[in-house]
Amino acid sequence: MDLLEIRKELDILDREIVHLFEKRMGLVEDVARFKLDTGKAVLDSKREKEKLQVARSYVEDPKLQESITELFQEMMSMSRRKQIGMLLERGRGFSSGFQKLGCLPFSGKSLVYQGAEGAYSYLAGRIFFQKENMIACTHFQEVLSALEEGRADYAILPMENSTYGMVQDNFDLLAKHPKLYVVQEIEFPVSHCLATLPGESFSDIKRVYSHPQALSQCADFFQKHPEIQGIPSLNTAIAAKNLMETGEKGAGVLCSREAALEYGLLILEENLSKKENSTRFFILGKEAVFSKDAGKLSISFSLPHAVGSLYHILGNFLFNGLTLTMIQSRPVGDGEFSYRFYVDFLGNLEQKEVLNALSCLQEEGVDFRVLGNYPSKEFKR
Amino acid sequence: MDLLEIRKELDILDREIVHLFEKRMGLVEDVARFKLDTGKAVLDSKREKEKLQVARSYVEDPKLQESITELFQEMMSMSRRKQIGMLLERGRGFSSGFQKLGCLPFSGKSLVYQGAEGAYSYLAGRIFFQKENMIACTHFQEVLSALEEGRADYAILPMENSTYGMVQDNFDLLAKHPKLYVVQEIEFPVSHCLATLPGESFSDIKRVYSHPQALSQCADFFQKHPEIQGIPSLNTAIAAKNLMETGEKGAGVLCSREAALEYGLLILEENLSKKENSTRFFILGKEAVFSKDAGKLSISFSLPHAVGSLYHILGNFLFNGLTLTMIQSRPVGDGEFSYRFYVDFLGNLEQKEVLNALSCLQEEGVDFRVLGNYPSKEFKR
């Protein structure tokens, strides 16, 4: 056979495969309808496994057994999504437990943040909250405790920086607080200036204090000035406040322009970090709520140690037409190298594609959790 | 129709689908053989896309078009793996560019590390390298420069901790040094002690210096002793060395037992971090080499912004029967939230499954790189 003939035969075969597949999906619908009408459970993972065994037994060439398994896993995954869709249409299946609200009640409410006035968390929080309702804490852990214990209505946490990556500790904190929910995302530009006490000049500076991420974001500056030492502190604005209070000579800080001004420091240089540098903040609340303008979801799950489990999990997004915007993993913390995954994707809890994907994820993942469904606000300076 | 009848019909259908699929794989093999014999390129992504269009046009129910696309993508991905397998059998296709060596020549060679004697990098490095061949640096960046500029034969970097997660900066450093390769992995237990100057006692301690990861790993200790402040330093052993040199009163350090002893400090408490806590180190060299006992690969790639690209990438591991042991992502650093992925999996560059997966990854990923194929050594204390 030459290439043209083989291809002609392939086309005939493919047409037949499409036809059989359509027929199969119709039968799967019949099964689901029958089960729904007679009150039987629709999803049946035991039968799925048996079906895989049977399909393998049909193969003539033993080398193709793995491929057949792959093909049938895919077909059964599609069938499952179809069946879940039918369940959802009848008001059954997955319930997120989230309440729909008209809008998020930030007005007059309080927000707890880490740092001091002028910190990036503070500046991002001020987009939605009044100055007199901002509450400062020294550590991120205290921020979440303050929220949980009712000393604040909302909390703000930096989660990810476009240059530096995820704030690992804060993802771990989220995992430890299952009763807190993301209600708003803010993308806020980060731009550090070098500030010092009035009366000091650039040549006096020997030490520069700031948050480790800020020090790392200004690596170019430290490479240009090897005589200046970077010293980690808890927060950029706390570094600025401390410098004002201690009056330490020969010292500078990397902080926001606003923090430098707040604490009466002299700005020596601006825009020390990369131009395109922004941080994603989460505003967290205690209620599982979402609004109709919520366009993004965050979820987390662990995975059973089966080969391919992440692959099948991702298929639930892909084949529901959902767009992933982030995937990250963190060690579960059992001392083994096993992971919890964090996934963000676009959607709203009222979309049937979203509910379909979440239903499947709940079946397949361990410790599955919807962290929130929230609107996103990008702030430009 | 009742459930039994529908299922009987499904079984008949499935048998037919298996039969057609087997026939299809046979034809795909014929195409590949024809192309190989006539010297034509085997992989043809343009034709794959056309084929998808054609398959969609065969569907009667328009709601099933997405499912058919999914099914055919899967089948074509299987065909591609089959064709790549045939190419590899004829000695064509992917070449890793890695040389096979009998064993790794560590004896008599030098190793550069970050920290000071007694640092965990130092202790892990000493498993393979002699004391007199260890070279200390202050920053990780210097460690890699020293290797690249020939001031050392090998370098050691901590990459991931089982409690704290990936050492983000060191993954970014790897990305910046495309001519360095991982030649050995070491999993080394981390156990911090609290040490101070001889003559001091526990009640004197007000400040404790250590690496930020060590401070975070001993969070329980700081929670029990809120009067003690944790202060970040560059490295656990450097903190110990500094304390010995400055003689600062009221100060302690968190470091390895070995570091405390090395610098003549008094050990006040042991095993302050979680019991099961270990760090993965990479030994890096300048040659792209692997040995027959190399059982793990590290690769990195970015992904085109197409929905599902990560899904299809993962399929290459799954359907070659390869086990993923780690997947991590880091921002590419273009200021957008776009990512480079780091994946570890079990295998050796001589296995055809590994070469098959790498061939596909090279086709599908952007900036694809094999970081190394290396043996793993787990050290217990």
Side-chain angles (χ1 to χ4, degrees), chain B residues 2 7 30 38 52 65 82 96 127 142 167-168 198 211 220 222 229 253 268 314 317 364:
Chain B
D2 73 1
R7 284 188 169 158
D30 291 342
T38 55
L52 275 184
Q65 283 199 344
K82 176 83 207 163
S96 69
I127 297 171
E142 294 162 29
V167 184
Q168 303 189 90
H211 188 272
D220 290 351
F222 289 104
Q229 192 196 354
V253 294
L268 295 173
L314 291 180
F317 297 103
E364 295 165 25

Side-chain angles (χ1 to χ4, degrees), chain A residues 109-128:
Chain A
K109 302 285 180 179
S110 60
L111 180 75
V112 60
Y113 69 99
Q114 189 256 357
E117 280 189 37
Y120 293 101
S121 292
Y122 174 89
L123 298 174
R126 288 279 285 103
I127 296 172
F128 291 103

